[in-house]
Amino acid sequence: MTDKTALSTPDAPAPAHTFHQGVRKGPFVQVSGQGPMDPATGEYVHPGNVAAQTTRTLENVRAIVEAGGATFDDVVMLRVYLTTRDDFAAMNDAYGEFVTKHCPGGVLPSRTTVMVGLPREEMLVEIDALAITG
């Protein structure tokens, strides 16, 4: 049986609650929901700009995936949570640019997008991920 390992990196925001940035068990790397927080300052960034928030959030996800010994190209599933349907197009454009750039294998991750209320008013987007390493 493979041990479950907590993931931690200074390149992504520290979790504020009773969970880790991510967890690895065997080849599976699960990243907790991330938002548009700058890990260096602990501040939420790009208020009102869902495209820029999406890119910052995906950078945080990528840092945790890499802390788990995977690459972004190993991500098989991303779940995107938006506060409003009106932001879908801008999020989707920023998301598409990021994943295309960071998946050199050409197979983009599966994705689910859900409209929800998020824990912080300044958050327009939250994203979690599942990666599977070789």
Side-chain angles (χ1 to χ4, degrees), residues 109-121:
S110 297
R111 184 181 88 189
T112 297
T113 304
V114 182
M115 307 314 154
V116 298
L118 293 173
R120 300 281 303 231
E121 186 175 331

Side-chain angles (χ1 to χ4, degrees), residues 65-77:
V65 165
E66 290 174 355
T71 69
F72 199 83
D73 210 21
D74 294 321
V75 173
V76 296
M77 179 66 180

Side-chain angles (χ1 to χ4, degrees), residues 83-103:
T83 58
T84 177
R85 190 177 322 272
D86 295 340
D87 284 342
F88 181 83
M91 175 283 297
N92 199 48
D93 288 345
Y95 173 97
E97 183 177 327
F98 188 94
V99 297
T100 301
K101 177 181 177 182
H102 291 93
C103 292

Side-chain angles (χ1 to χ4, degrees), residues 23-72:
V23 174
R24 178 167 181 152
K25 184 167 174 77
F28 300 98
V29 176
Q30 176 66 56
V31 175
S32 295
Q34 297 298 304
M37 183 183 279
D38 181 330
T41 65
E43 299 292 322
Y44 285 89
V45 294
H46 312 298
N49 183 339
V50 73
Q53 283 195 6
T54 298
T55 300
R56 173 72 259 170
T57 299
L58 286 166
E59 288 290 353
N60 294 340
V61 167
R62 183 171 67 107
I64 299 165
V65 165
E66 290 174 355
T71 69
F72 199 83

Side-chain angles (χ1 to χ4, degrees), residues 8-17 19-21 34 37-39 42 44 64:
S8 180
T9 177
D11 297 327
H17 302 287
F19 57 88
H20 295 286
Q21 290 172 320
Q34 297 298 304
M37 183 183 279
D38 181 330
Y44 285 89
I64 299 165

